[in-house]
Amino acid sequence: MNAMSEPVPLQPERRQRLEVNKLSKRLHRQVSRAISDFNMIEPGDKVMVCVSGGKDSYALLDILLGLRARAPVPFDLVAVNLDQKQPDFPAHVLPEYLASRAVPFHIEQQDTYSIVKRLIPEGQTMCSLCSRLRRGILYRVASELGATKVALGHHRDDMVATLLMNMFFGARMKGMPPKLVSDDGRHVVIRPLAYVAESDLERWAEQRRFPIIPCNLCGSQINLQRARIKQMLREWEHRYPGRIDNMAAAMGRITPSHLMDRNLHPFATLQATGVSDCRGDKAFDEDDECSATQTGRPVRIV
Ligand code: SF4
C-alpha cells in the first residue's frame, strides 16, 4: 500500500466525538421510528414522561426533548417524578436537573414506601405492590395534569426479557407492548425506547452525565429471575451479536398458523383449499424464502 492510500489514524478525541455523534443519531432515529411505527405521539399531545432518576427515564426525557425541538408535529412534555419517601432519597436531585433542562415538571410526594413496608412481610419482595401503587398514582397525576400520553422508559432489552420471563415462568407468550391502554381505560401508555438497546442507554447516560439516583434505596431484593435472564441475554449477545435485535424483531413478525394458540388460528376447522399458499407449511424450512420475499428483509430493527 502506498503512502497516498494509507488511512490517517484518527485522534482519540476525534474518534470519541464521532462515536458519540453516531450514538446520538442512532438513539434519536430509533425513538423517532418507534413513535412513528406505533403512532405514539399525535399533534397536540401532552406527554407525561415518568422520570425515576434511573438512566433509562433520563435518556427518554433527554431524547424526547431533542426530538420535540425539531418535530414536524407540535406536542408538549411534562416530566413527573414520584417521590416514594424511600430512606435517603435525594429529593433535590431531580428538581435541580429538570429545572436545568427548562422542562415543566411535577414532583408527586406519596409515602408508598411505608405502606409497602407495613403490608409485605420482611424478606418478601415488595416490587409487585410497590409498582401497583406507583402505577395508580401516576395515572391519577396524568389525569390531573391533563396528559394525553404517559411515557415510560422501558427499552428493547426489557421487552425481550419480559417475553422470556412470561414464557419461562408464566407459560405464555406475552411481552411488554410499545403502546397500550391502561386497565382503567383512561390512559394511553407509550414506550418510545422500544427499539433501543440497553447498552446504548448506558453509554448515553455516561456521556450526558445524568445525575443517577440509585434504585436500591427501598432495600428490596432485586428480581433475581429477571437479573438472570438479562445476564443470559447479554451472554448470548456477546457470542452471537444481533440475537437480541432478532428476538425483538420477532415480536413484530408473528405467524399464528405456526404456533399453537387455538384462539388465534382456526386449527379445528382447517380444510384443504386446493389452492397453493406460500404461507402454508413452511414451519420446518431452514430458509423461509416465502416470508423473506413477502416482508423484504432485513430482520434487524436498527
Ligand atoms: S425496587 Fe423498590 S422501589 Fe423499585 S419497585 Fe421494587 S420495591 Fe418499589
Side-chain angles (χ1 to χ4, degrees), residues 84 86 116 125-128 130-131 134 215-222:
Q84 298 177 271
Q86 294 156 349
V116 170
T125 176
M126 310 188 290
C127 297
S128 164
C130 176
S131 316
R134 187 168 50 214
C215 64
N216 55 356
L217 297 173
C218 63
S220 181
Q221 301 280 333
I222 55 161

Short mmCIF file of all heavy atoms in Angstrom, two decimals, residues 84 86 116 125-128 130-131 134 215-222, ligand 1:
data_model
loop_
_atom_site.label_atom_id
_atom_site.label_comp_id
_atom_site.label_asym_id
_atom_site.label_seq_id
_atom_site.Cartn_x
_atom_site.Cartn_y
_atom_site.Cartn_z
N GLN A 84 -41.27 8.48 46.53
CA GLN A 84 -41.97 7.46 47.33
C GLN A 84 -41.51 7.44 48.79
O GLN A 84 -41.84 6.54 49.53
CB GLN A 84 -41.76 6.08 46.70
CG GLN A 84 -42.35 5.99 45.30
CD GLN A 84 -42.08 4.64 44.64
OE1 GLN A 84 -41.06 4.44 43.97
NE2 GLN A 84 -42.97 3.71 44.83
N GLN A 86 -38.58 6.95 50.05
CA GLN A 86 -37.63 5.91 50.45
C GLN A 86 -36.52 6.55 51.28
O GLN A 86 -36.19 7.72 51.05
CB GLN A 86 -37.02 5.26 49.21
CG GLN A 86 -38.03 4.49 48.41
CD GLN A 86 -37.63 4.34 46.96
OE1 GLN A 86 -36.70 4.97 46.51
NE2 GLN A 86 -38.36 3.52 46.25
N VAL A 116 -45.92 -0.12 51.74
CA VAL A 116 -45.39 -1.41 51.29
C VAL A 116 -44.69 -2.13 52.44
O VAL A 116 -44.87 -3.33 52.66
CB VAL A 116 -44.44 -1.18 50.09
CG1 VAL A 116 -43.69 -2.45 49.75
CG2 VAL A 116 -45.22 -0.71 48.88
N THR A 125 -40.47 -10.03 48.48
CA THR A 125 -40.25 -8.93 47.56
C THR A 125 -41.43 -7.95 47.56
O THR A 125 -42.59 -8.35 47.60
CB THR A 125 -39.93 -9.42 46.13
OG1 THR A 125 -39.82 -8.28 45.29
CG2 THR A 125 -41.01 -10.33 45.59
N MET A 126 -41.09 -6.68 47.55
CA MET A 126 -42.11 -5.63 47.69
C MET A 126 -42.51 -5.06 46.34
O MET A 126 -43.41 -4.23 46.24
CB MET A 126 -41.53 -4.49 48.55
CG MET A 126 -40.89 -4.94 49.84
SD MET A 126 -40.45 -3.56 50.90
CE MET A 126 -39.10 -2.81 50.03
N CYS A 127 -41.82 -5.49 45.28
CA CYS A 127 -41.94 -4.79 44.00
C CYS A 127 -43.34 -4.82 43.40
O CYS A 127 -43.78 -3.85 42.80
CB CYS A 127 -40.94 -5.35 43.00
SG CYS A 127 -39.25 -5.09 43.53
N SER A 128 -44.02 -5.94 43.56
CA SER A 128 -45.31 -6.07 42.90
C SER A 128 -46.30 -5.03 43.45
O SER A 128 -46.93 -4.28 42.71
CB SER A 128 -45.80 -7.50 43.08
OG SER A 128 -47.12 -7.58 42.80
N CYS A 130 -45.56 -2.37 45.25
CA CYS A 130 -44.98 -1.04 45.04
C CYS A 130 -45.31 -0.54 43.63
O CYS A 130 -45.74 0.60 43.45
CB CYS A 130 -43.47 -1.12 45.25
SG CYS A 130 -42.61 0.41 44.93
N SER A 131 -45.14 -1.40 42.63
CA SER A 131 -45.40 -0.98 41.24
C SER A 131 -46.88 -0.69 41.04
O SER A 131 -47.24 0.24 40.32
CB SER A 131 -45.01 -2.06 40.23
OG SER A 131 -43.80 -2.61 40.54
N ARG A 134 -47.60 2.62 42.56
CA ARG A 134 -46.97 3.69 41.76
C ARG A 134 -47.78 3.95 40.49
O ARG A 134 -48.01 5.08 40.10
CB ARG A 134 -45.54 3.27 41.42
CG ARG A 134 -44.75 4.38 40.75
CD ARG A 134 -43.29 4.04 40.68
NE ARG A 134 -43.07 2.72 40.14
CZ ARG A 134 -42.08 1.90 40.52
NH1 ARG A 134 -41.25 2.27 41.44
NH2 ARG A 134 -41.94 0.73 39.97
N CYS A 215 -31.21 2.82 42.55
CA CYS A 215 -32.58 2.28 42.60
C CYS A 215 -32.75 1.27 43.72
O CYS A 215 -33.71 0.54 43.76
CB CYS A 215 -32.95 1.66 41.26
SG CYS A 215 -31.93 0.24 40.86
N ASN A 216 -31.80 1.20 44.65
CA ASN A 216 -31.92 0.20 45.71
C ASN A 216 -32.21 0.84 47.07
O ASN A 216 -31.97 0.24 48.11
CB ASN A 216 -30.62 -0.63 45.80
CG ASN A 216 -29.42 0.26 45.99
OD1 ASN A 216 -29.54 1.48 45.99
ND2 ASN A 216 -28.26 -0.35 46.16
N LEU A 217 -32.72 2.08 47.03
CA LEU A 217 -32.94 2.78 48.30
C LEU A 217 -34.01 2.11 49.15
O LEU A 217 -34.02 2.22 50.36
CB LEU A 217 -33.36 4.24 48.02
CG LEU A 217 -32.30 5.08 47.31
CD1 LEU A 217 -32.87 6.44 46.95
CD2 LEU A 217 -31.09 5.26 48.19
N CYS A 218 -34.94 1.41 48.48
CA CYS A 218 -36.03 0.79 49.22
C CYS A 218 -35.54 -0.46 49.96
O CYS A 218 -36.23 -0.98 50.81
CB CYS A 218 -37.14 0.41 48.27
SG CYS A 218 -36.58 -0.80 47.08
N GLY A 219 -34.36 -0.96 49.57
CA GLY A 219 -33.81 -2.15 50.24
C GLY A 219 -34.44 -3.44 49.77
O GLY A 219 -34.13 -4.51 50.28
N SER A 220 -35.30 -3.36 48.73
CA SER A 220 -35.92 -4.59 48.24
C SER A 220 -34.89 -5.43 47.50
O SER A 220 -33.96 -4.90 46.90
CB SER A 220 -37.07 -4.25 47.28
OG SER A 220 -37.68 -5.41 46.83
N GLN A 221 -35.10 -6.74 47.54
CA GLN A 221 -34.22 -7.63 46.79
C GLN A 221 -34.43 -7.37 45.30
O GLN A 221 -35.54 -7.13 44.88
CB GLN A 221 -34.63 -9.09 47.05
CG GLN A 221 -34.59 -9.50 48.49
CD GLN A 221 -33.18 -9.83 48.91
OE1 GLN A 221 -32.38 -10.22 48.08
NE2 GLN A 221 -32.87 -9.67 50.17
N ILE A 222 -33.35 -7.42 44.52
CA ILE A 222 -33.58 -7.31 43.08
C ILE A 222 -34.30 -8.56 42.61
O ILE A 222 -34.21 -9.62 43.24
CB ILE A 222 -32.26 -7.15 42.29
CG1 ILE A 222 -31.30 -8.31 42.60
CG2 ILE A 222 -31.61 -5.82 42.54
CD1 ILE A 222 -30.24 -8.47 41.57
S1 SF4 B 1 -37.14 -1.99 43.77
FE1 SF4 B 1 -38.11 -0.89 45.46
S2 SF4 B 1 -38.88 0.99 44.54
FE2 SF4 B 1 -38.47 -0.43 42.87
S3 SF4 B 1 -40.41 -1.47 42.54
FE3 SF4 B 1 -39.25 -2.74 43.95
S4 SF4 B 1 -39.95 -2.08 45.96
FE4 SF4 B 1 -40.53 -0.48 44.54
#
